[in-house]
Amino acid sequence: MKNLDSVFAAYMAAWAIFFVYYITVARRASALRGDIERLKNSASRGK
Amino acid sequence: MVKNLLAAAAVFLLLGAAAYASFFIAPTDVKQGLIYRILFLHVPSAWTGLTAFFISFVANLLYVWRRQPRWDWLGISAAEVGLAFTTVVLVTGPIWAHPVWGIWWTWSPRLTSTFVLWLLYVSYVLLRTLLEEPDRRALLSALFGIFAFIDVPLVFGSIRWWRDQHPQPVVMGEPGSGLDPIMYKVLFFSWFAMMALMTLLIRQRYRLEAMRSDLETMQHELEAA
């Protein structure tokens, strides 16, 4: 089982990169949704 | 929401099946042993990254021609996702190279052109953060995206045109090159799984860009009112 640690490291690194990217996009979307809601509320208060 | 979760679960299952096939179905390579199994992660990630950059390139061309925001949104979405896949290529490559070549990195044509490609698309993403006005940002980044894509044919051709420490292509290479038929099947299945992941990520990222555009429009309307 020579180099099993390297293969494991490569798979873990790849999964981590995809996971972190997916979470980053989800968090940015959530923050934007919050900003849109806040703007809608302030616009309706202004009317 | 449920549809998104189902799509994410399906992609997760596909990736799991590809990993299983890479470890337990593909035969062990006689020369490299276990370490060669990184091929089923490294090569499909590279192909998928280049596919995403091609989608970004086409979207950028369409933006310059049609000036419709949706092409700008697709351009940045595909570029950012391509960047994630190319990051995987640049991380898994040295992990594979070290036990096989005895070095982590060498400035060979394939490695250098891939690193330059990564830098170009990092610049493309950063450029957008520097420009405030939406139309100007979309046009300038579309033009830069078209320029950045020039490196993609160099990445593709680098191991065909110049002497390189990087292995020769396993697909569309010289006569006698290639893989065992089962390895090919696992490789193409892994690529299919990566393409499904790319589609999911681009869709998510595209929705984010559409929301950002909505927010900018609302802010503009509020300021004007």
Side-chain angles (χ1 to χ4, degrees):
Chain A
M1 294 301 244
K2 200 179 156 203
N3 294 320
L4 180 65
D5 52 344
S6 297
V7 179
F8 185 73
Y11 273 81
M12 283 298 107
W15 280 85
I17 289 165
F18 290 133
F19 183 72
V20 166
Y21 181 65
Y22 186 83
I23 294 296
T24 308
V25 173
R27 286 184 68 171
R28 281 191 282 173
S30 168
L32 268 178
R33 247 178 249 121
D35 287 347
I36 289 171
E37 278 306 307
R38 266 191 296 279
L39 259 185
K40 274 183 184 167
N41 288 340
S42 64
S44 61
R45 272 200 301 272
K47 277 180 187 173
Chain B
M1 186 72 180
V2 176
K3 252 174 87 176
N4 288 344
L5 280 175
L6 282 175
V11 170
F12 187 77
L13 281 177
L14 265 177
L15 288 168
Y20 176 84
S22 308
F23 280 96
F24 301 109
I25 296 176
T28 302
D29 183 69
V30 181
K31 284 184 193 162
Q32 292 192 25
L34 192 64
I35 192 75
Y36 105 97
R37 291 181 195 276
I38 293 178
L39 171 110
F40 302 110
L41 184 66
H42 180 76
V43 175
S45 295
W47 291 348
T48 310
L50 294 180
T51 308
F53 290 144
F54 179 70
I55 293 169
S56 176
F57 171 68
V58 173
N60 285 326
L61 282 177
L62 285 167
Y63 181 80
V64 172
W65 182 35
R66 309 288 292 267
R67 303 291 168 101
Q68 291 167 329
R70 62 187 169 139
W71 298 121
D72 173 52
W73 304 342
L74 182 61
I76 178 60
S77 305
E80 217 180 83
V81 171
L83 202 50
F85 279 93
T86 310
T87 306
V88 168
V89 175
L90 289 173
V91 170
T92 55
I95 296 173
W96 187 4
H98 189 253
V100 178
W101 297 347
I103 47 171
W104 293 100
W105 182 268
T106 178
W107 293 102
S108 77
R110 168 53 70 92
L111 275 67
T112 307
S113 57
T114 306
F115 183 59
V116 169
L117 185 71
W118 186 82
L119 287 177
L120 281 166
Y121 278 92
V122 166
S123 310
Y124 173 84
V125 172
L126 289 179
L127 175 71
R128 295 179 65 90
T129 64
L130 301 174
L131 301 163
E132 292 255 323
E133 206 273 304
D135 291 339
R136 189 173 142 78
R137 177 178 63 215
L139 181 62
L140 285 178
S141 58
L143 292 172
F144 187 83
I146 293 165
F147 165 73
F149 189 77
I150 293 171
D151 193 39
V152 169
L154 291 178
V155 172
F156 177 82
S158 54
I159 49 171
R160 292 168 174 84
W161 304 331
W162 302 299
R163 282 170 62 88
D164 201 305
Q165 182 144 5
H166 189 278
Q168 290 300 299
V170 290
V171 174
M172 297 191 322
E174 289 177 357
S177 67
L179 292 173
D180 172 272
I182 298 171
M183 290 179 184
Y184 265 129
K185 282 182 186 152
V186 174
L187 181 67
F188 281 106
F189 179 68
S190 300
W191 187 31
F192 174 71
M194 291 285 186
M195 291 290 279
L197 177 63
M198 179 196 78
T199 309
L200 178 81
L201 291 173
I202 290 179
R203 272 187 57 182
Q204 295 272 93
R205 184 61 185 77
Y206 182 90
R207 274 196 218 111
L208 174 73
E209 207 56 37
M211 276 199 295
R212 180 172 292 154
S213 173
D214 286 348
L215 181 68
E216 281 174 352
T217 309
M218 285 170 68
Q219 282 171 334
H220 199 256
E221 283 170 0
L222 268 177
E223 280 164 15

